[in-house]
């Protein structure tokens, strides 16, 4: 790799001083620490092990709600949802009176460090498993940005790359597969190898984690295959920072059946009509989780009722946290205008939804495993190179998953 | 091992059907999952690795507050603090108007499964690093119960053992040492080998974890030495269940200095006198944590003030949860009569205390690392043998660290 720019840049109050090495940040979507633990215990992640031994492994706190768009947006901006504005996959636009996906960069309120790195002379590439993330991650980016899901449709003018399948050497994968994530990593390897990128963000998808527990052969083989690609990047001299957007827990009763609280139904039964429940996990990909996560927002038509509803909800078994707007925005770092009157989080083994009719549990490919709440907030952080004194200190206390670029770029030289 | 009783017994609503093998449950005090991760990455826990591969490893939710006496009491009773009554190391006895240690079994409100196992014919032994736990853990126990701290003072009539140092082959260790915990494990090995016990609870101490981060050589060597004893127990055919009472986090600012909120001082400044703050982490062992944890109780003299104080506390940076009595008892599974008017939990990197004069930070042996709050709630569970279908199912959802005896006794046959 020649001519890698080391020009410093600053975004959202954070200074980045990149080394003359390929920088690769990987968001291992849904990678609760147990996935790494279990695969490493089977000696099937030798390259991740090398990273841990040469570099750093620890736990970091993600952004809440512990959803994909929220945390991907935080990772590429370095700031919380209160600042960047992406607080779910889905939200209720009060002004338009519409429930809409939050997949578009029009909802992003701050610039990304990826765009800034490109402006500073780095060859930036974003590869995401799901197309839904591409628009946000590539906001104002002069570089490569495409998804595994639609790799075969990437064009030079719009995606910064064409003939992606040929370059990568793999066909566009099915989105509900291990291959969807592996394609992203293989794309990263190919882009570095071909000198097409030296500053990469690779964002995987969590279909496998929603479907398989850490000790299943499917999961072990999936992480083993990821590790092969890590090895190739390390060989090419990359500095790698790997983290996750959220953890993953089984959301089941003792008999293995889904453990769901339908919040809108419960509120209507208790108080009558007048509630809108928004499930910010909702996305176009239904086989993962049936739009059931451990976090919902409640809009209350009758404002005078809010305190009473809050108290009642907080007393329901399986509900662990209920906040009003002021407290929820502060404690959960949320933007006020895109959140409801009440913020509801559920227990480690519980998901919350709207009404039974709104969720198709038959679409699930396995046990209900999901995320969104407090018990999917903590995720692993692995850095391939030894942390310097300043970042070793910073790794103590309360580091965040969205510090991963800061650690990877600034922490190892 | 001959003549191991398989007589079933029931305690606190849970049925135990012990196999004819030595049962060993270990509470690896303060063992945040990162300690196991890091030592295993260095290939320095081959026996724990064997347990993981042959048996089970996952995360479980501890009892809150995430303190030692609370969780040890839960582990030996199988129930939450709301039932067994031990809700800290230290509490304010309202009736006596005294702040007292909660080290005595007179505060325990339910029987232990250890006493029940002994009554059902098992040879039970409890070995604890710290003497402070012995009285609670040995409540009504017909068996062996002694501490590493005072091993040389154990007598047949009162401890069920004498000449402990000779039997174990090691001298009574200093309490602020790795040896204090290793002695407990070595005692377990010796008791099984000599046919003196076939149902053991081994409770370590967290001086090392308070003092050393997971990637330090001190910590790695400590866990490696623990692993040697695990290996000896496995060789003797023991079924081992290992968990922790709580995790451990650095509680420091960006410069590494202690990150403390002195709650009684803050309240007095804001509202005037009339507050009593209790730090339930307080114990006679001050070098660990300076009596600073991530959980305190507030007693408010002026009852009419409670809501206002709650709101104010909840708005202070670093405070993550504040509950009144009703909500705190419900969500945190606490006994109402031994807790305050307000329950205060702090952030991952923050500890809460009374006033600066009440805490001697100079006594610390290193960086301030502590526990007690939400971010030390999740701990590892490792079972040495393959879980049967019922317990594999139960490991999903929301298993608790105080299910460890249930899993170890019932889950592997």
């Amino acid at each position: 790799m020649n001519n890698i720019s080391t020009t410093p840049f600053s975004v959202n109050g954070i200074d980045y001083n990149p080394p003359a090495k390929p920088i690769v940040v990987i968001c291992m979507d849904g990678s609760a620490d147990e996935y790494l633990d279990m695969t490493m215990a089977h000696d099937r992640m030798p390259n991740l092990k090398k990273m841990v031994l040469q570099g750093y492994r620890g736990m970091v706190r993600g952004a809440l709600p512990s959803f994909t768009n929220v945390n991907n947006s935080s990772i590429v901006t370095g700031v919380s949802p209160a600042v960047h504005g992406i607080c779910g996959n889905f939200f209720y636009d009060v002004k338009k009176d519409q429930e809409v996906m939050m997949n578009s960069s029009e909802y992003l309120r701050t610039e990304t460090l990826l765009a800034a790195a490109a402006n500073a002379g780095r060859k930036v590439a974003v590869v995401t498993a799901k197309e839904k993330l591409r628009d946000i991650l590539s906001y104002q980016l002069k570089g490569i940005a495409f998804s595994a899901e639609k790799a075969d449709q990437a064009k030079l003018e719009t995606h910064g790359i064409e003939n992606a399948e040929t370059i990568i050497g793999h066909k566009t994968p099915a989105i509900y597969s291990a291959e969807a994530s592996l394609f992203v990593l293989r794309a990263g390897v190919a882009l570095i190898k071909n000198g097409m990128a030296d500053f990469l963000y690779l964002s995987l998808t969590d279909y496998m984690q929603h479907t398989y527990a850490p000790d299943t052969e499917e999961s072990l083989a999936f992480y083993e295959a990821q590790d092969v690609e890590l090895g190739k990047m390390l060989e090419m001299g990359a500095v790698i920072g790997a983290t996750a957007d959220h953890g993953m827990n089984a959301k089941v009763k003792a008999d293995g059946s889904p453990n769901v609280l339908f919040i809108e139904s419960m509120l209507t039964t208790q108080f009558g009509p007048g509630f809108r429940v928004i499930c910010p996990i909702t996305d176009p990909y239904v086989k993962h989780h049936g739009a059931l996560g451990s976090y919902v927002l409640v809009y209350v038509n009758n404002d005078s009722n809010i305190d009473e509803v809050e108290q009642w909800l907080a007393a329901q078994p399986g509900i662990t946290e209920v906040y009003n707007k002021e407290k929820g925005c502060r404690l959960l770092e949320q933007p006020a205008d895109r959140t409801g009157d009440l913020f509801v989080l559920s227990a480690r083994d519980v998901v919350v939804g709207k009404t039974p009719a709104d969720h198709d549990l038959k679409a699930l490919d396995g046990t209900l495993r999901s995320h969104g709440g407090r018990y999917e907030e903590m995720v692993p952080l692995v850095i391939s190179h030894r942390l310097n004194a300043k970042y070793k200190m910073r790794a103590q206390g309360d580091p965040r998953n969205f510090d991963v670029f800061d650690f990877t770029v600034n922490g190892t030289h």
Side-chain angles (χ1 to χ4, degrees), chain A:
Chain A
M1 305 289 298
N2 291 316
N3 303 320
I4 295 183
S5 168
T6 58
T7 306
F9 56 94
S10 295
V11 197
N12 300 321
I14 303 161
D15 298 323
Y16 297 88
N17 287 286
K21 296 175 185 168
I23 292 288
V24 181
V25 165
I26 305 171
C27 178
M28 303 170 87
D29 194 332
S31 286
D33 204 45
E34 294 94 311
Y35 285 99
L36 305 186
D37 290 344
M38 194 51 67
T39 321
M40 288 175 81
H42 282 265
D43 290 322
R44 289 170 74 168
M45 295 196 90
N47 293 300
L48 190 76
K49 182 176 176 177
K50 196 184 295 176
M51 287 170 60
V52 172
L53 292 176
Q54 293 177 354
Y56 174 79
R57 178 182 180 182
M59 297 298 288
V60 287
R61 192 160 62 88
L64 286 171
S66 43
F67 293 135
T68 294
N69 287 16
V70 178
N71 278 277
N72 271 274
S73 302
S74 282
I75 288 170
V76 300
T77 60
V79 293
S80 79
V83 181
H84 64 64
I86 307 292
C87 55
N89 305 334
F90 187 80
F91 85 116
Y92 174 51
D93 188 327
V94 177
K95 278 187 195 156
K96 295 183 183 164
D97 189 25
Q98 282 181 334
E99 299 183 11
V100 289
M101 300 307 295
M102 217 183 303
N103 286 353
S104 162
S105 60
E106 72 177 280
Y107 297 112
L108 194 63
R109 290 177 166 159
T110 183
E111 56 180 336
T112 75
L113 62 91
L114 300 173
N119 291 339
R122 296 293 291 220
K123 293 180 184 167
V124 176
V126 172
V127 191
T128 160
K130 289 180 179 172
E131 178 68 15
K132 73 166 181 178
L133 270 174
R134 191 176 65 88
D135 195 53
I136 290 175
L137 300 181
S138 65
Y139 177 60
Q140 296 187 330
L141 172 65
K142 294 174 196 135
I144 295 170
F146 65 103
S147 70
E149 185 179 4
K150 300 199 171 177
D152 53 353
Q153 296 170 41
K155 295 202 176 74
L156 199 57
E157 316 81 67
T158 47
H159 300 74
I161 188 171
E162 58 193 359
N163 300 320
E165 291 185 342
T166 309
I167 292 168
I168 298 159
H170 290 269
K171 288 277 174 198
T172 298
I175 191 63
Y176 296 119
S177 69
E179 292 298 309
S181 289
L182 297 175
F183 185 94
V184 173
L185 295 173
R186 289 165 185 156
V189 170
L191 294 172
I192 301 172
K193 188 179 281 180
N194 291 312
M196 297 171 72
D198 57 36
F199 196 100
L200 296 89
Y201 181 53
L202 306 176
S203 184
L204 314 186
T205 178
D206 60 2
Y207 168 74
M208 292 298 287
Q209 292 85 350
H210 273 290
T211 309
Y212 300 106
D215 59 351
T216 58
E217 175 53 32
E218 290 86 348
S219 176
L220 295 170
F222 173 52
Y223 278 89
E224 185 174 32
Q226 292 181 55
D227 191 74
V228 170
E229 307 308 318
L230 293 179
K232 293 175 190 167
M233 295 184 215
L234 290 174
E235 263 180 36
M236 291 188 288
V239 181
I240 304 177
T243 188
D245 49 354
H246 54 74
M248 187 71 71
N249 282 302
K251 304 288 183 176
V252 292
K253 299 178 190 167
D255 64 0
S257 65
N259 200 2
V260 191
L261 297 176
F262 293 105
I263 301 296
E264 195 166 302
S265 302
M266 289 163 62
L267 289 173
T268 306
T269 302
Q270 178 69 18
F271 296 100
F275 299 95
R276 179 194 296 269
V277 169
I278 295 290
C279 304
I281 195 176
T282 305
D283 72 12
Y285 309 86
V286 295
K287 285 174 90 78
H288 296 53
H289 45 59
L292 289 164
S294 289
Y295 176 87
V296 294
L297 298 169
V298 180
Y299 290 81
V300 184
N301 278 4
N302 178 3
D303 278 1
S304 64
N305 225 7
I306 290 178
D307 283 354
E308 189 190 349
V309 174
E310 179 184 344
Q311 294 306 319
W312 185 83
L313 273 175
Q316 302 311 305
I319 302 293
T320 45
E321 296 169 68
V322 184
Y323 301 114
N324 62 23
K325 172 90 77 180
E326 181 276 321
K327 205 168 169 181
C329 286
R330 182 165 44 77
L331 285 173
L332 309 179
E333 307 171 301
Q334 296 300 294
D337 58 332
R338 293 179 181 172
T339 46
D341 299 307
L342 295 172
F343 303 61
V344 180
L345 290 87
S346 58
R348 188 185 181 203
D349 56 340
V350 176
V351 283
V352 277
K354 281 168 77 78
T355 76
D358 288 302
H359 302 276
D360 182 10
L361 290 170
K362 290 197 201 75
L364 290 176
D365 265 356
T367 303
L368 180 58
R369 299 174 56 79
S370 197
H371 55 93
R374 187 67 70 180
Y375 290 93
E376 297 84 30
E377 182 187 22
M378 298 303 298
V379 290
L381 172 70
V382 181
I383 306 285
S384 61
H385 289 58
R386 185 179 302 277
L387 294 182
N388 59 38
K390 179 179 169 191
Y391 282 81
K392 210 168 150 58
M393 183 80 90
R394 280 197 45 193
Q396 301 191 105
D398 190 25
R400 308 297 298 268
N401 67 343
F402 54 82
D403 296 330
V404 59
F405 267 106
D406 188 2
F407 271 73
T408 309
V409 171
N410 297 322
T412 60
H413 64 102

